[in-house]
Amino acid sequence: MPIFFIFIVGLAIGSFLNVCIYRIPKKESLVYPPSHCPQCGELIKWYDNIPLISYLLLKGKCRSCHHPISIRYPIVEALTGVLFLFSYLFHRSLNILFFKNLIFISFLIPIFFIDFKIGIIPNSLSYGLIISGFILSFFTHSFSSSLWGIGIGGGIFSTIYFLGYLFLKQEGMGMGDVKMAMGIGAFLGWRISLVAFFISFLIGGVVAGFLLLTHFKKRKEKLPFAPFLVMGALISLFYGEKLLYLYLTL
């Protein structure tokens, strides 16, 4: 059954994305050494590495040292599975747009969690996002829109970056965000990427305002922006055309 199979594939890809989230910032190989407990170093047996199920059976602890396993692992696996499944239900076909969505989602998820945790967007992910989005545009007949998306995304966020230095004497936006915006533009094209950027600024503004009002963040504390870009990109990936049409018809 395609729906069940796609969800299982999503869980498996999510398990790999967990490896990416943990190892890419440390500049470690994604292949060697095999999966192991970061606390005791014990290699993880295959039956303890089944997405979602193993976490539940182990009650969120390493079988060897009983150290707690981060809740991020099942969250990433479940999120990937759900988004893969939603993408299939959205397209109702295993076409090139569906597979393009899966690649896009597979970049966005590790970027979200890495930037949320340590405040960086690894170049391997941001450049991979730009290059893969641009290459795939040849297969979806959106080459021109993708190229414009790269330019507009980079232009908008580079402007914010330099204006921050000019008026605030600090980065208004990190260069990682600039490259990520270019990658979003490469995948979504210039029209829908503008919708994604608007949504990300809107969500980011609301969250930042809430954190300031509740004193969880101080005024000059930096807030990772990539998670908001990811949310804006995912919403626009599925509903960008409808939102743009709604805006233009108001």
Side-chain angles (χ1 to χ4, degrees), residues 170 208 211-212 215-224:
Q170 64 180 17
L211 293 176
L212 287 173
H215 303 290
F216 279 102
K217 284 279 187 181
K218 295 180 181 179
R219 187 172 293 275
K220 291 190 176 181
E221 278 189 89
K222 289 185 177 180
L223 187 66

Side-chain angles (χ1 to χ4, degrees), residues 124-163:
S124 58
L125 293 176
S126 55
Y127 287 137
L129 193 67
I130 297 169
I131 294 169
S132 57
F134 182 62
I135 291 174
L136 287 168
S137 71
F138 286 91
F139 298 94
T140 56
H141 309 290
S142 56
F143 163 74
S144 178
S145 183
S146 177
L147 191 60
W148 275 101
I150 294 171
I152 290 174
I156 291 173
F157 281 75
S158 293
T159 301
I160 297 172
Y161 176 86
F162 288 113
L163 286 177

Side-chain angles (χ1 to χ4, degrees), residues 32-169:
Y32 185 84
S35 296
H36 59 279
C37 173
Q39 189 68 22
C40 66
E42 186 72 17
L43 293 181
I44 299 174
K45 305 292 190 298
W46 69 267
Y47 49 79
D48 287 336
N49 209 20
I50 302 172
L52 288 185
I53 296 174
S54 293
Y55 185 88
L56 295 173
L57 293 177
L58 292 170
K59 297 179 180 179
K61 294 181 180 180
C62 171
R63 183 185 293 276
S64 178
C65 67
H66 305 294
H67 189 269
I69 301 170
S70 172
I71 190 65
R72 186 202 78 221
Y73 287 86
I75 288 175
V76 169
E77 290 165 356
L79 180 62
T80 309
V82 168
L83 287 174
F84 274 35
L85 180 57
F86 187 81
S87 184
Y88 173 74
L89 294 174
F90 182 83
H91 289 287
R92 284 291 179 182
S93 174
L94 300 177
N95 56 27
I96 184 62
L97 290 175
F98 165 72
F99 288 107
K100 182 180 178 181
N101 282 6
L102 301 194
I103 294 171
F104 192 36
I105 290 166
S106 298
F107 275 105
L108 293 179
I109 290 176
I111 288 174
F112 179 101
F113 285 94
I114 291 173
D115 194 48
F116 182 80
K117 184 178 181 181
I118 60 178
I120 66 166
I121 304 174
N123 282 332
S124 58
L125 293 176
S126 55
Y127 287 137
L129 193 67
I130 297 169
I131 294 169
S132 57
F134 182 62
I135 291 174
L136 287 168
S137 71
F138 286 91
F139 298 94
T140 56
H141 309 290
S142 56
F143 163 74
S144 178
S145 183
S146 177
L147 191 60
W148 275 101
I150 294 171
I152 290 174
I156 291 173
F157 281 75
S158 293
T159 301
I160 297 172
Y161 176 86
F162 288 113
L163 286 177
Y165 267 120
L166 185 62
F167 294 106
L168 303 175
K169 306 303 180 185

Side-chain angles (χ1 to χ4, degrees), residues 148-200:
W148 275 101
I150 294 171
I152 290 174
I156 291 173
F157 281 75
S158 293
T159 301
I160 297 172
Y161 176 86
F162 288 113
L163 286 177
Y165 267 120
L166 185 62
F167 294 106
L168 303 175
K169 306 303 180 185
Q170 64 180 17
E171 293 180 358
M173 193 71 66
M175 282 305 297
D177 298 316
V178 175
K179 287 175 277 190
M180 185 182 173
M182 294 170 68
I184 291 173
F187 265 94
L188 298 182
W190 73 270
R191 293 168 69 252
I192 305 305
S193 65
L194 288 176
V195 178
F197 300 150
F198 175 79
I199 294 172
S200 64

